[in-house]
Amino acid sequence: MDEVSRAVINFTRERDWDQFHSPENLAKSITIESGELLECFQWGSNFDKKEVCRELADVINYAILLADKLDVKIEDIVMEKLEENSKKYPVNKSKGNSKKYTEL
Amino acid sequence: MDEVSRAVINFTRERDWDQFHSPENLAKSITIESGELLECFQWGSNFDKKEVCRELADVINYAILLADKLDVKIEDIVMEKLEENSKKYPVNKSKGNSKKYTEL
Amino acid sequence: MDEVSRAVINFTRERDWDQFHSPENLAKSITIESGELLECFQWGSNFDKKEVCRELADVINYAILLADKLDVKIEDIVMEKLEENSKKYPVNKSKGNSKKYTEL
Amino acid sequence: MDEVSRAVINFTRERDWDQFHSPENLAKSITIESGELLECFQWGSNFDKKEVCRELADVINYAILLADKLDVKIEDIVMEKLEENSKKYPVNKSKGNSKKYTEL
């Protein structure tokens, strides 16, 4: 993943795009790309795997750039969130249950 | 990243949540979480770094689950997309330019 | 607005698209179109008014269809929400303040 | 609808929130609220009608504010888009077909 992150960041640097990549603009970009990902499923659950992978890659691309801009490691923030979620969603309460923690 | 992916997938398995995680539902979840990420910037560019990291982690969490469900590696799909983008956005045309490839 | 709603619903009926318009699919469609609206502002606050109007129209188009599917009037649900919001955001507490009601 | 629009705009004016309502921030707000609408359908097609109406109202609320800020009438932009769409989606080609016009 380190290598991939470097490739993503380097792609941006070569094009001098860093000037556009404020955290706010990257958050917008993640949302825009996730809308395109969702479009793969607009009318139902069938999907074109290749297309879904392309849109998912765009979401992750901007997620890598935002993590870099915030100077955090993706691995660290995901592990921290998992720990937080394990308190919100204890196994015994949430097993087989899709309810939000506020309703558990 | 492999370790983080395993932790995310394991978190879900322990709670028997796999039944809710169709590709379509995961795409919706990525979009929902990216909306919460965007909310950190709703009224301007100032942001609470801790909060942004938490929401970004949620986006990546579902991205990991979707890649797993599609049986692809995040590293692979991002590298493939970078290669595609390098054709859409050649350095000489796109340097310092935020225009979409359709307008370059 | 009644006339516009009828035109939107009729457009759909003529194309026999009602079969695709479950509330869930319409909610996805509203989100997808709002992502396209946001794309008009991806890299900053400058915008192409014509393009913004086109994307905003798409959002409203699906909002009209969802309200119709739910058998509610847009005017009614907006007025009800305003009343609810006026309790969450009393003028004296929220004047000139963009904070969420949970933080007021 | 005119009356509803006036109520929405007045709600904002009373709270002196106009200063936060740049077109960009309103576009973000529409996207954020549509994510909350989508959350009503995160794990499937079942939904709580009351909750869906509340979130849909939030989307429309910001759509009204954005139309006002752009100095256009919702009715006009929707009718213009319908006309445009009727060319992209002629009845004979699109009847009973959910394909995008680019694939028709």
Side-chain angles (χ1 to χ4, degrees):
Chain A
M1 190 68 181
D2 276 359
E3 199 191 328
V4 175
S5 290
R6 271 195 303 273
V8 166
I9 293 161
N10 198 42
F11 186 94
T12 282
R13 201 165 291 159
E14 283 178 339
R15 281 154 188 79
D16 203 11
W17 283 353
D18 193 63
Q19 58 186 308
F20 308 118
H21 290 178
S22 65
E24 182 188 7
N25 287 355
L26 292 171
K28 282 186 272 174
S29 300
I30 289 171
T31 311
I32 292 163
E33 298 298 343
S34 72
E36 295 185 11
L37 171 63
L38 187 63
E39 198 179 349
C40 299
F41 303 91
Q42 186 168 12
W43 305 118
S45 54
N46 287 329
F47 61 95
D48 174 337
K49 182 176 165 178
K50 214 178 146 80
E51 194 57 26
V52 171
C53 286
R54 293 176 67 252
E55 300 301 346
L56 178 58
D58 282 340
V59 171
I60 298 166
N61 177 74
Y62 284 119
I64 288 171
L65 289 170
L66 180 51
D68 178 61
K69 190 63 77 177
L70 297 170
D71 203 22
V72 295
K73 278 182 77 69
I74 280 185
E75 290 87 338
D76 292 345
I77 63 173
V78 173
M79 290 307 283
E80 273 170 47
K81 196 61 187 354
L82 269 190
E83 204 176 305
E84 192 185 308
N85 283 350
S86 70
K87 282 165 199 156
K88 281 183 182 170
Y89 297 97
V91 173
N92 65 322
K93 273 194 174 178
S94 56
K95 191 157 188 167
N97 191 334
S98 66
K99 278 193 185 146
K100 213 173 168 171
Y101 70 98
T102 45
E103 295 167 25
L104 276 180
Chain B
M1 191 68 181
D2 277 358
E3 200 191 327
V4 174
S5 290
R6 272 196 302 275
V8 166
I9 293 161
N10 198 43
F11 186 93
T12 282
R13 201 165 290 157
E14 284 179 339
R15 280 156 188 80
D16 203 11
W17 282 352
D18 193 62
Q19 58 185 308
F20 308 119
H21 290 176
S22 65
E24 182 188 6
N25 286 354
L26 292 171
K28 282 186 273 174
S29 300
I30 289 171
T31 311
I32 293 163
E33 297 298 344
S34 70
E36 295 185 11
L37 171 62
L38 188 63
E39 198 179 350
C40 299
F41 302 92
Q42 186 167 13
W43 304 119
S45 55
N46 287 329
F47 61 95
D48 173 338
K49 182 177 166 179
K50 214 178 147 78
E51 195 57 25
V52 171
C53 286
R54 293 176 67 252
E55 300 301 347
L56 177 59
D58 282 339
V59 172
I60 298 166
N61 177 74
Y62 283 119
I64 289 171
L65 289 170
L66 180 51
D68 179 60
K69 191 61 78 178
L70 297 170
D71 204 23
V72 295
K73 278 182 77 71
I74 281 186
E75 289 87 338
D76 293 344
I77 62 173
V78 174
M79 290 307 283
E80 273 169 48
K81 197 62 186 356
L82 270 190
E83 205 176 303
E84 191 185 310
N85 283 350
S86 69
K87 282 164 200 157
K88 281 183 181 168
Y89 297 97
V91 172
N92 66 322
K93 273 195 173 177
S94 57
K95 192 157 187 167
N97 191 334
S98 66
K99 277 193 185 146
K100 214 174 167 169
Y101 70 99
T102 47
E103 297 167 24
L104 274 180
Chain C
M1 190 68 181
D2 276 359
E3 199 191 328
V4 174
S5 290
R6 270 195 303 273
V8 166
I9 293 161
N10 198 42
F11 186 93
T12 282
R13 201 166 291 159
E14 282 179 339
R15 282 155 189 79
D16 203 12
W17 283 351
D18 193 62
Q19 57 185 310
F20 308 118
H21 290 177
S22 64
E24 181 188 7
N25 287 354
L26 292 170
K28 281 186 273 174
S29 300
I30 289 171
T31 311
I32 293 163
E33 297 299 344
S34 70
E36 295 185 11
L37 171 63
L38 187 63
E39 198 179 350
C40 300
F41 302 92
Q42 187 167 12
W43 306 119
S45 54
N46 288 330
F47 61 95
D48 173 338
K49 182 176 166 179
K50 213 178 148 81
E51 194 56 27
V52 171
C53 286
R54 293 176 67 253
E55 300 301 345
L56 178 58
D58 282 339
V59 171
I60 298 164
N61 177 74
Y62 284 120
I64 288 170
L65 289 170
L66 180 51
D68 178 60
K69 191 62 77 174
L70 297 170
D71 204 23
V72 295
K73 278 181 77 70
I74 280 186
E75 290 86 337
D76 293 344
I77 62 173
V78 174
M79 290 308 282
E80 272 168 47
K81 196 62 186 358
L82 270 189
E83 204 176 306
E84 193 185 307
N85 283 349
S86 70
K87 282 165 200 156
K88 280 183 182 169
Y89 296 96
V91 172
N92 65 322
K93 274 194 174 179
S94 56
K95 192 157 188 167
N97 191 334
S98 66
K99 278 195 185 143
K100 212 171 168 172
Y101 70 97
T102 46
E103 296 168 24
L104 275 179
Chain D
M1 191 69 181
D2 276 358
E3 198 191 328
V4 175
S5 290
R6 272 196 301 273
V8 166
I9 293 161
N10 198 43
F11 186 93
T12 282
R13 200 165 290 159
E14 283 178 340
R15 282 155 188 80
D16 202 11
W17 282 352
D18 193 62
Q19 57 185 309
F20 308 118
H21 289 177
S22 65
E24 182 188 7
N25 287 354
L26 292 171
K28 282 186 273 174
S29 300
I30 288 171
T31 311
I32 292 163
E33 297 299 344
S34 71
E36 295 185 11
L37 171 63
L38 187 63
E39 198 180 350
C40 299
F41 302 91
Q42 186 168 13
W43 305 119
S45 54
N46 287 330
F47 61 94
D48 173 338
K49 182 177 165 178
K50 214 180 148 80
E51 194 57 25
V52 171
C53 287
R54 293 176 66 253
E55 300 300 347
L56 178 58
D58 282 339
V59 171
I60 299 165
N61 177 74
Y62 284 119
I64 289 170
L65 289 170
L66 179 51
D68 178 60
K69 190 63 76 174
L70 297 170
D71 204 22
V72 295
K73 277 181 78 70
I74 280 185
E75 290 86 337
D76 293 343
I77 62 172
V78 174
M79 290 308 281
E80 273 170 47
K81 196 62 186 357
L82 269 190
E83 205 175 305
E84 191 185 311
N85 284 349
S86 70
K87 283 165 200 158
K88 281 183 183 169
Y89 297 97
V91 172
N92 64 324
K93 273 195 174 177
S94 57
K95 192 157 188 168
N97 191 334
S98 65
K99 279 195 185 143
K100 212 171 168 172
Y101 70 98
T102 46
E103 297 167 23
L104 275 180

